[in-house]
Amino acid sequence: MASAPNSRSATLTTQDFQSQHASRSDSDEDSREFARERVPTTRQLSGKYFLGAYAGEHVAGTEFVIGASLVALGVNAGDLLWGLLLGNLLAVLSWAWVCSPVATRSRMTLYWYLERLAGKRLSRCYNLINGIIFAVTAGAMMTVSASAFRVVTNIEPQTTWYPQSMSFVALVLFVGAITVWMTLKGFKLIANFSTVCSPWMAIMFLVSGIISIATLMQIGALDGVTSLSGVIDTFVWTGSTPEGDPGISMWVVAAWAWGCNLPMHLGMSDMSILRFARKSTYGYFSAAGMFIGHYMAWVCAGLMGATAALLAQTQVVDLDSGEVAFRILGYMGLAAVVIAGWTTSIPSLYRAGLALQSVFPRYSWSRVTLITGILTALVACFPFVFTQWLNVLSYFSILIAPIGAIIAAEHFLLPRLGMRPFWREQVGQRNNLPALGAWVIGIGIAVLLGGSGLLHLFTLFLPTWFAALLAYPALCRFYGVAREKNIDFYSSAYGAPMDQASPVNSAPRKHLRNPWYLLALGCLVAILVAAGWAWSTRDTTAHLDTFHSLIVLPTLIYFVAALLWMRTRRGRSA
């Protein structure tokens, strides 16, 4: 095993890493997640891992919840489609232009970076909050996955803040145990799991939209509504809430689509993922998650939720994800809910483990993650987060936003103003008071604007982030941080670049000739054909059971073929 490059760093931390860890064995290095070390070139990954990871994580359990919630919030169809387009585009650019450049130049986790920037006290406070946020996210998705098992066990829907059945508690703990086990296998297995699941998940969301539209058209015809736009405006995105109040606007939808993943992009948590990327441009691969998951999947989930509510003759807010998916997609819908929950809960628990390991550095990442996973599974037995998911995410974004802005200012703005990143280390200060001040200013502005009612809760992250971005350099100057010239700011702060050139490969793409790959692709096409058949019958409701049966075998074969295809790739270099 080649050791990490012997780059010079301005801090003892990086120097000590290179002197203490260069001689570790292959098996030891494989077990490390580099929680407090720069990722060496030998452990950097190609774009396929990030494409699969983003597509899998964001075509996931939250989509079932958010799609139905947007229906309940009363947005109309035009505002939804344009708002999602704008917001998701801004989210992709936030990953590609802000988070990814910092991650691939520093090769550090957010948590180690913040400790060097702000000192142990502030970073531990933030990391504790961040770890709790991602643990809660993982727990909410465990609840979503368990809702699928609930349907087949005749357990009543869990729509209150507390568990209403001990059987449901047992299901959550079972789902949580699998989540923890897979998380402990590390980032590469998480990415491979997402690579296998994400194509099927995307197809299942698309198919749910096709079946929902066909069913809605049939229901609409009974009420004299025959056009697609008329059906959607009447039954799905009506422009008003179930209580009759006006719905949210396009700008609020755009802000929500941009800000719902703010902890990951502008909040910089995905530095922990993108530090493994060979190139900064891999941040653009987040588009796979944003436009397949946060666009197509939200739209289809909204259609599915509205259709399931009509079939059940109830309100969409009274149905959980498992029941919605079961009514439209049958048992494969339940499988989709379980897998979708895992593709979010596993990477969220991974991030939570990294955050909390920095709070408790005496313990290994795996031990901290195990304990966090156990506690998260216990919390997941109480579905209070799941029932208020959009508001919970918005509050999380407000708390995280200022720290992400401070890191962005440290990397992008301070060098342009002649100030060294990690200046706190150079001058020997124990704490970074300008960082603390910028965080307080950002949160204070959010509290003032939120309390005054001037801005919607979903939009408060914007003034919060930009206020901290501007406040931090200004406070650094006021604090008297020295200005320097004629130095390489990034090399002095991070060490020499640790970039691995992408391998030149002029050979044809072997997976296109791999029979397992072709079989898996054929199964996805078969599922689409089954949905097309159900649409063509013009009596989709009467043929739903047949459609549910038709997609079982292609799904089973797909996962067998996809797993065998992944197995053939293991011997190849990342």
Side-chain angles (χ1 to χ4, degrees), residues 155-160 162-166 168-169 381 383:
I155 300 172
E156 61 183 294
Q158 305 295 299
T159 55
T160 61
Y162 55 88
Q164 299 164 286
S165 167
M166 289 306 298
F168 178 77
V169 172
C381 298

Side-chain angles (χ1 to χ4, degrees), residues 414-429:
L414 291 196
R416 287 167 173 76
L417 297 173
M419 291 179 278
R420 181 196 299 260
F422 298 156
W423 58 266
R424 182 198 64 82
E425 287 185 331
Q426 184 191 26
V427 300
Q429 292 288 335

Side-chain angles (χ1 to χ4, degrees), residues 7-8 16 68 107 113 116 123 137 144 168 196 206 211 226 325 329 340 343 379 382 409 451 483 490 512 536 548-549:
S7 59
R8 184 178 181 181
D16 290 344
R107 300 291 176 189
Y113 192 106
R116 296 183 62 186
S123 66
T137 301
V144 169
F168 178 77
V196 169
L206 179 59
I211 296 299
T226 58
L329 298 172
T343 57
V379 173
F382 296 81
R483 303 181 71 174
Y490 296 122
L512 295 178
S536 67
H548 295 165
S549 300

Side-chain angles (χ1 to χ4, degrees), residues 65 90 95 163 191 195 262-263 303 319 403 505 542:
V65 180
L90 291 171
W95 262 296
T195 299
L262 181 136
L303 290 167
L319 301 175
I403 294 297
N505 184 9

